[in-house]
Short mmCIF file of all heavy atoms in Angstrom, two decimals:
data_model
loop_
_atom_site.label_atom_id
_atom_site.label_comp_id
_atom_site.label_asym_id
_atom_site.label_seq_id
_atom_site.Cartn_x
_atom_site.Cartn_y
_atom_site.Cartn_z
N ALA A 126 30.23 38.90 22.37
CA ALA A 126 31.30 39.63 21.71
C ALA A 126 30.78 40.22 20.41
O ALA A 126 30.09 39.53 19.66
CB ALA A 126 32.47 38.70 21.43
N ILE A 127 31.07 41.45 20.16
CA ILE A 127 30.75 42.02 18.86
C ILE A 127 32.00 42.68 18.28
O ILE A 127 32.93 43.02 19.00
CB ILE A 127 29.61 43.07 18.92
CG1 ILE A 127 30.02 44.25 19.77
CG2 ILE A 127 28.33 42.43 19.43
CD1 ILE A 127 29.07 45.43 19.61
N SER A 128 31.97 42.79 16.99
CA SER A 128 33.06 43.46 16.30
C SER A 128 32.81 44.95 16.36
O SER A 128 31.77 45.42 15.91
CB SER A 128 33.10 42.98 14.85
OG SER A 128 33.75 43.94 14.05
N PRO A 129 33.73 45.72 16.93
CA PRO A 129 33.50 47.17 17.07
C PRO A 129 33.28 47.86 15.73
O PRO A 129 32.51 48.81 15.64
CB PRO A 129 34.79 47.67 17.72
CG PRO A 129 35.41 46.47 18.33
CD PRO A 129 35.00 45.31 17.48
N SER A 130 33.92 47.37 14.68
CA SER A 130 33.83 48.08 13.40
C SER A 130 32.53 47.79 12.67
O SER A 130 32.07 48.59 11.88
CB SER A 130 35.02 47.71 12.51
OG SER A 130 35.03 46.33 12.24
N ARG A 133 28.54 43.61 14.43
CA ARG A 133 27.98 42.27 14.31
C ARG A 133 28.51 41.34 15.40
O ARG A 133 29.62 41.52 15.88
CB ARG A 133 28.34 41.65 12.96
CG ARG A 133 27.79 42.38 11.78
CD ARG A 133 28.20 41.65 10.51
NE ARG A 133 27.95 42.50 9.35
CZ ARG A 133 28.84 42.72 8.40
NH1 ARG A 133 30.05 42.15 8.47
NH2 ARG A 133 28.54 43.49 7.39
N THR A 134 27.68 40.35 15.70
CA THR A 134 28.13 39.30 16.60
C THR A 134 29.43 38.70 16.09
O THR A 134 29.58 38.44 14.90
CB THR A 134 27.10 38.15 16.67
OG1 THR A 134 25.91 38.64 17.25
CG2 THR A 134 27.62 37.00 17.52
N LEU A 135 30.36 38.52 16.98
CA LEU A 135 31.58 37.81 16.63
C LEU A 135 31.50 36.43 17.29
O LEU A 135 31.65 36.32 18.50
CB LEU A 135 32.79 38.60 17.15
CG LEU A 135 34.15 38.34 16.53
CD1 LEU A 135 34.12 38.46 15.02
CD2 LEU A 135 35.16 39.31 17.11
N PRO A 136 31.20 35.38 16.51
CA PRO A 136 31.05 34.06 17.12
C PRO A 136 32.35 33.64 17.80
O PRO A 136 33.43 34.04 17.40
CB PRO A 136 30.75 33.15 15.92
CG PRO A 136 30.24 34.07 14.86
CD PRO A 136 30.97 35.36 15.08
N ASP A 137 32.21 32.80 18.81
CA ASP A 137 33.37 32.37 19.59
C ASP A 137 34.49 31.84 18.71
O ASP A 137 35.67 32.02 18.98
CB ASP A 137 32.96 31.27 20.57
CG ASP A 137 32.05 31.84 21.66
OD1 ASP A 137 31.86 33.06 21.67
OD2 ASP A 137 31.54 31.05 22.47
N ARG A 138 34.07 31.15 17.65
CA ARG A 138 35.06 30.55 16.77
C ARG A 138 35.93 31.57 16.07
O ARG A 138 37.00 31.26 15.58
CB ARG A 138 34.34 29.73 15.69
CG ARG A 138 33.87 28.40 16.19
CD ARG A 138 34.91 27.37 15.88
NE ARG A 138 34.65 26.14 16.59
CZ ARG A 138 34.87 24.94 16.09
NH1 ARG A 138 35.34 24.83 14.87
NH2 ARG A 138 34.65 23.87 16.79
N TYR A 139 35.40 32.78 15.99
CA TYR A 139 36.14 33.82 15.27
C TYR A 139 36.98 34.68 16.21
O TYR A 139 37.54 35.68 15.81
CB TYR A 139 35.17 34.71 14.49
CG TYR A 139 34.61 34.03 13.25
CD1 TYR A 139 33.31 33.54 13.24
CD2 TYR A 139 35.38 33.89 12.11
CE1 TYR A 139 32.78 32.92 12.11
CE2 TYR A 139 34.87 33.27 10.98
CZ TYR A 139 33.58 32.79 10.99
OH TYR A 139 33.08 32.17 9.87
N ILE A 140 37.02 34.26 17.47
CA ILE A 140 37.85 35.00 18.42
C ILE A 140 39.03 34.10 18.80
O ILE A 140 38.85 32.91 19.03
CB ILE A 140 37.05 35.33 19.69
CG1 ILE A 140 35.81 36.15 19.34
CG2 ILE A 140 37.93 36.08 20.69
CD1 ILE A 140 34.86 36.35 20.49
N GLU A 141 40.20 34.69 18.85
CA GLU A 141 41.32 33.90 19.35
C GLU A 141 42.13 34.74 20.31
O GLU A 141 42.00 35.97 20.37
CB GLU A 141 42.20 33.40 18.20
CG GLU A 141 42.92 34.49 17.43
CD GLU A 141 43.78 33.94 16.30
OE1 GLU A 141 43.70 32.73 16.03
OE2 GLU A 141 44.50 34.74 15.69
N GLY A 142 42.93 34.06 21.10
CA GLY A 142 43.72 34.77 22.10
C GLY A 142 44.54 33.76 22.88
O GLY A 142 44.69 32.62 22.46
N THR A 143 45.04 34.20 24.02
CA THR A 143 45.87 33.32 24.83
C THR A 143 44.98 32.56 25.82
O THR A 143 44.16 33.14 26.51
CB THR A 143 46.92 34.14 25.60
OG1 THR A 143 47.70 34.88 24.65
CG2 THR A 143 47.83 33.21 26.40
N CYS A 144 45.20 31.25 25.86
CA CYS A 144 44.41 30.40 26.74
C CYS A 144 44.73 30.71 28.20
O CYS A 144 45.90 30.67 28.59
CB CYS A 144 44.70 28.93 26.44
SG CYS A 144 43.88 27.79 27.57
N PRO A 145 43.71 30.99 28.99
CA PRO A 145 43.96 31.32 30.41
C PRO A 145 44.38 30.10 31.22
O PRO A 145 44.85 30.24 32.35
CB PRO A 145 42.60 31.84 30.89
CG PRO A 145 41.60 31.18 29.98
CD PRO A 145 42.28 31.03 28.64
N GLY A 148 48.05 28.81 28.61
CA GLY A 148 48.92 29.84 28.08
C GLY A 148 49.19 29.76 26.59
O GLY A 148 49.94 30.55 26.03
N TYR A 149 48.55 28.81 25.93
CA TYR A 149 48.71 28.67 24.48
C TYR A 149 48.13 29.89 23.78
O TYR A 149 47.03 30.33 24.11
CB TYR A 149 48.01 27.38 24.04
CG TYR A 149 47.97 27.14 22.55
CD1 TYR A 149 49.15 26.87 21.84
CD2 TYR A 149 46.77 27.17 21.85
CE1 TYR A 149 49.12 26.64 20.49
CE2 TYR A 149 46.73 26.93 20.49
CZ TYR A 149 47.91 26.67 19.81
OH TYR A 149 47.87 26.43 18.46
N ASP A 150 48.82 30.41 22.80
CA ASP A 150 48.39 31.69 22.24
C ASP A 150 47.33 31.57 21.16
O ASP A 150 46.60 32.50 20.90
CB ASP A 150 49.60 32.44 21.68
CG ASP A 150 49.19 33.85 21.24
OD1 ASP A 150 48.42 34.49 22.00
OD2 ASP A 150 49.60 34.29 20.15
N GLY A 151 47.21 30.41 20.52
CA GLY A 151 46.26 30.31 19.42
C GLY A 151 44.90 29.78 19.82
O GLY A 151 44.18 29.24 18.99
N ALA A 152 44.52 29.93 21.07
CA ALA A 152 43.25 29.36 21.52
C ALA A 152 42.08 30.08 20.87
O ALA A 152 42.10 31.29 20.71
CB ALA A 152 43.14 29.46 23.03
N ARG A 153 41.07 29.31 20.50
CA ARG A 153 39.86 29.93 19.97
C ARG A 153 38.93 30.25 21.13
O ARG A 153 39.08 29.74 22.24
CB ARG A 153 39.15 28.97 19.01
CG ARG A 153 39.92 28.74 17.73
CD ARG A 153 39.13 27.80 16.85
NE ARG A 153 38.50 26.77 17.67
CZ ARG A 153 38.36 25.50 17.26
NH1 ARG A 153 38.80 25.13 16.09
NH2 ARG A 153 37.77 24.64 18.05
N GLY A 154 37.93 31.07 20.83
CA GLY A 154 37.04 31.53 21.88
C GLY A 154 36.26 30.43 22.55
O GLY A 154 35.86 30.55 23.71
N ASP A 155 36.02 29.34 21.83
CA ASP A 155 35.19 28.29 22.42
C ASP A 155 36.01 27.14 23.00
O ASP A 155 35.53 26.38 23.81
CB ASP A 155 34.22 27.75 21.37
CG ASP A 155 34.96 27.26 20.13
OD1 ASP A 155 36.14 27.65 19.94
OD2 ASP A 155 34.37 26.51 19.36
N GLN A 156 37.22 26.99 22.51
CA GLN A 156 38.00 25.84 22.94
C GLN A 156 39.47 26.09 22.63
O GLN A 156 39.81 26.73 21.64
CB GLN A 156 37.54 24.59 22.18
CG GLN A 156 38.22 23.32 22.65
CD GLN A 156 37.64 22.10 21.95
OE1 GLN A 156 37.41 22.13 20.75
NE2 GLN A 156 37.42 21.04 22.70
N CYS A 157 40.32 25.57 23.50
CA CYS A 157 41.75 25.69 23.24
C CYS A 157 42.22 24.45 22.48
O CYS A 157 42.04 23.33 22.96
CB CYS A 157 42.53 25.81 24.55
SG CYS A 157 44.32 25.81 24.28
N ASP A 158 42.81 24.66 21.32
CA ASP A 158 43.29 23.52 20.53
C ASP A 158 44.46 22.82 21.19
O ASP A 158 44.75 21.67 20.89
CB ASP A 158 43.72 24.00 19.13
CG ASP A 158 42.52 24.27 18.25
OD1 ASP A 158 41.45 23.70 18.52
OD2 ASP A 158 42.65 25.05 17.30
N LEU A 164 36.38 26.91 26.64
CA LEU A 164 36.65 28.25 27.16
C LEU A 164 35.45 29.16 26.98
O LEU A 164 34.56 28.89 26.18
CB LEU A 164 37.85 28.86 26.41
CG LEU A 164 39.15 28.05 26.42
CD1 LEU A 164 40.18 28.76 25.55
CD2 LEU A 164 39.67 27.88 27.84
N ASP A 165 35.50 30.22 27.74
CA ASP A 165 34.56 31.31 27.52
C ASP A 165 35.40 32.46 26.95
O ASP A 165 36.44 32.81 27.53
CB ASP A 165 33.93 31.72 28.86
CG ASP A 165 32.79 32.70 28.65
OD1 ASP A 165 32.94 33.60 27.80
OD2 ASP A 165 31.77 32.55 29.33
N PRO A 166 34.97 33.01 25.84
CA PRO A 166 35.83 34.02 25.19
C PRO A 166 36.15 35.22 26.08
O PRO A 166 37.17 35.87 25.90
CB PRO A 166 35.01 34.44 23.97
CG PRO A 166 33.64 33.94 24.20
CD PRO A 166 33.75 32.75 25.08
N VAL A 167 35.27 35.47 27.06
CA VAL A 167 35.54 36.61 27.96
C VAL A 167 36.83 36.38 28.74
O VAL A 167 37.50 37.32 29.13
CB VAL A 167 34.35 36.78 28.94
CG1 VAL A 167 34.60 37.94 29.87
CG2 VAL A 167 33.07 37.00 28.16
N ASP A 168 37.17 35.10 28.95
CA ASP A 168 38.34 34.79 29.77
C ASP A 168 39.65 34.80 28.98
O ASP A 168 40.73 34.73 29.58
CB ASP A 168 38.17 33.40 30.40
CG ASP A 168 36.94 33.36 31.31
OD1 ASP A 168 36.61 34.41 31.87
OD2 ASP A 168 36.32 32.28 31.41
N LEU A 169 39.56 34.86 27.67
CA LEU A 169 40.78 34.85 26.87
C LEU A 169 41.65 36.05 27.19
O LEU A 169 41.15 37.15 27.41
CB LEU A 169 40.45 34.89 25.37
CG LEU A 169 40.03 33.59 24.68
CD1 LEU A 169 39.75 33.89 23.22
CD2 LEU A 169 41.11 32.54 24.82
N ILE A 170 42.95 35.81 27.20
CA ILE A 170 43.88 36.92 27.38
C ILE A 170 44.20 37.48 25.99
O ILE A 170 44.46 36.72 25.05
CB ILE A 170 45.16 36.41 28.07
CG1 ILE A 170 44.78 35.82 29.44
CG2 ILE A 170 46.17 37.52 28.22
CD1 ILE A 170 45.84 34.91 30.04
N ASN A 171 44.18 38.79 25.88
CA ASN A 171 44.42 39.45 24.60
C ASN A 171 43.53 38.90 23.47
O ASN A 171 44.02 38.42 22.46
CB ASN A 171 45.88 39.30 24.16
CG ASN A 171 46.82 40.00 25.12
OD1 ASN A 171 46.47 41.05 25.67
ND2 ASN A 171 47.98 39.41 25.34
N PRO A 172 42.23 38.97 23.67
CA PRO A 172 41.34 38.45 22.62
C PRO A 172 41.42 39.31 21.36
O PRO A 172 41.62 40.52 21.45
CB PRO A 172 39.95 38.54 23.27
CG PRO A 172 40.07 39.65 24.25
CD PRO A 172 41.48 39.59 24.77
N ARG A 173 41.30 38.65 20.22
CA ARG A 173 41.29 39.40 18.96
C ARG A 173 40.44 38.67 17.94
O ARG A 173 40.24 37.45 18.01
CB ARG A 173 42.71 39.61 18.45
CG ARG A 173 43.47 38.30 18.27
CD ARG A 173 44.95 38.54 18.03
NE ARG A 173 45.66 37.27 17.88
CZ ARG A 173 46.15 36.58 18.91
NH1 ARG A 173 46.03 37.04 20.16
NH2 ARG A 173 46.75 35.43 18.71
N SER A 174 39.96 39.40 16.98
CA SER A 174 39.12 38.84 15.93
C SER A 174 39.98 38.12 14.91
O SER A 174 40.98 38.66 14.43
CB SER A 174 38.33 39.95 15.24
OG SER A 174 37.80 39.47 14.03
N ARG A 175 39.56 36.92 14.56
CA ARG A 175 40.29 36.20 13.51
C ARG A 175 39.99 36.77 12.14
O ARG A 175 40.64 36.44 11.16
CB ARG A 175 39.89 34.72 13.53
CG ARG A 175 40.43 33.97 14.74
CD ARG A 175 39.74 32.64 14.92
NE ARG A 175 40.03 31.74 13.82
CZ ARG A 175 40.83 30.68 13.92
NH1 ARG A 175 41.42 30.40 15.07
NH2 ARG A 175 41.02 29.89 12.89
N ILE A 176 38.96 37.60 12.08
CA ILE A 176 38.57 38.16 10.79
C ILE A 176 39.44 39.36 10.42
O ILE A 176 39.97 39.44 9.32
CB ILE A 176 37.08 38.57 10.82
CG1 ILE A 176 36.23 37.32 11.05
CG2 ILE A 176 36.70 39.27 9.52
CD1 ILE A 176 34.79 37.62 11.42
N ASN A 177 39.59 40.27 11.38
CA ASN A 177 40.36 41.46 11.04
C ASN A 177 41.35 41.87 12.13
O ASN A 177 41.94 42.94 12.08
CB ASN A 177 39.43 42.63 10.72
CG ASN A 177 38.49 42.92 11.89
OD1 ASN A 177 38.73 42.47 13.01
ND2 ASN A 177 37.45 43.66 11.63
N GLY A 178 41.50 41.04 13.16
CA GLY A 178 42.52 41.30 14.17
C GLY A 178 42.13 42.30 15.24
O GLY A 178 42.86 42.48 16.22
N GLU A 179 40.99 42.95 15.09
CA GLU A 179 40.63 43.96 16.09
C GLU A 179 40.20 43.29 17.40
O GLU A 179 39.86 42.10 17.44
CB GLU A 179 39.50 44.85 15.56
CG GLU A 179 38.21 44.09 15.36
CD GLU A 179 37.16 44.95 14.68
OE1 GLU A 179 37.43 46.13 14.42
OE2 GLU A 179 36.08 44.43 14.41
N THR A 180 40.23 44.08 18.44
CA THR A 180 39.84 43.56 19.75
C THR A 180 38.33 43.57 19.87
O THR A 180 37.70 44.61 19.70
CB THR A 180 40.44 44.44 20.86
OG1 THR A 180 41.86 44.48 20.69
CG2 THR A 180 40.10 43.88 22.24
N PRO A 181 37.74 42.42 20.15
CA PRO A 181 36.29 42.39 20.25
C PRO A 181 35.79 43.14 21.49
O PRO A 181 36.52 43.27 22.47
CB PRO A 181 35.97 40.89 20.35
CG PRO A 181 37.23 40.24 20.76
CD PRO A 181 38.36 41.11 20.33
N LYS A 182 34.59 43.63 21.37
CA LYS A 182 33.98 44.33 22.49
C LYS A 182 32.95 43.39 23.10
O LYS A 182 32.16 42.77 22.38
CB LYS A 182 33.30 45.60 21.97
CG LYS A 182 33.17 46.69 22.99
CD LYS A 182 32.91 48.04 22.31
CE LYS A 182 31.60 48.08 21.55
NZ LYS A 182 31.33 49.38 20.93
N PHE A 183 33.00 43.23 24.40
CA PHE A 183 32.01 42.38 25.07
C PHE A 183 30.91 43.29 25.62
O PHE A 183 31.18 44.14 26.47
CB PHE A 183 32.67 41.57 26.18
CG PHE A 183 33.63 40.54 25.63
CD1 PHE A 183 34.98 40.83 25.51
CD2 PHE A 183 33.17 39.31 25.18
CE1 PHE A 183 35.87 39.91 24.98
CE2 PHE A 183 34.05 38.37 24.66
CZ PHE A 183 35.40 38.67 24.55
P C B 75 25.51 27.68 20.69
OP1 C B 75 25.61 27.94 22.09
OP2 C B 75 24.33 28.05 19.96
"O5'" C B 75 26.81 28.23 19.96
"C5'" C B 75 26.95 28.03 18.57
"C4'" C B 75 27.84 29.16 18.06
"O4'" C B 75 27.20 30.36 18.47
"C3'" C B 75 29.21 29.09 18.74
"O3'" C B 75 30.24 29.10 17.82
"C2'" C B 75 29.28 30.33 19.61
"O2'" C B 75 30.45 31.09 19.37
"C1'" C B 75 28.13 31.18 19.10
N1 C B 75 27.45 31.89 20.18
C2 C B 75 27.72 33.25 20.24
O2 C B 75 28.48 33.74 19.40
N3 C B 75 27.13 33.98 21.20
C4 C B 75 26.30 33.41 22.05
N4 C B 75 25.76 34.17 22.97
C5 C B 75 26.00 32.03 22.00
C6 C B 75 26.59 31.30 21.05
P C B 76 30.93 28.34 16.91
OP1 C B 76 31.27 27.02 17.41
OP2 C B 76 32.00 29.32 16.69
"O5'" C B 76 30.09 28.18 15.56
"C5'" C B 76 30.19 29.15 14.56
"C4'" C B 76 30.38 28.48 13.21
"O4'" C B 76 31.39 27.47 13.34
"C3'" C B 76 29.16 27.71 12.73
"O3'" C B 76 28.33 28.56 11.98
"C2'" C B 76 29.76 26.66 11.84
"O2'" C B 76 29.98 27.15 10.54
"C1'" C B 76 31.13 26.40 12.48
N1 C B 76 31.17 25.15 13.25
C2 C B 76 31.85 24.08 12.67
O2 C B 76 32.37 24.22 11.56
N3 C B 76 31.91 22.91 13.35
C4 C B 76 31.34 22.79 14.53
N4 C B 76 31.42 21.63 15.15
C5 C B 76 30.63 23.87 15.13
C6 C B 76 30.57 25.03 14.46
#
Side-chain angles (χ1 to χ4, degrees):
Chain A
I127 63 167
S128 157
S130 61
R133 297 181 194 132
T134 295
L135 201 52
D137 292 355
R138 281 266 168 143
Y139 286 104
I140 302 172
E141 65 180 7
T143 303
C144 175
Y149 175 67
D150 187 43
R153 291 181 321 216
D155 55 342
Q156 185 175 42
C157 175
D158 284 337
L164 304 176
D165 189 319
V167 180
D168 299 330
L169 280 180
I170 301 162
N171 296 325
R173 56 192 179 272
S174 165
R175 289 165 65 107
I176 297 166
N177 57 16
E179 65 187 357
T180 303
K182 206 162 64 179
F183 292 94

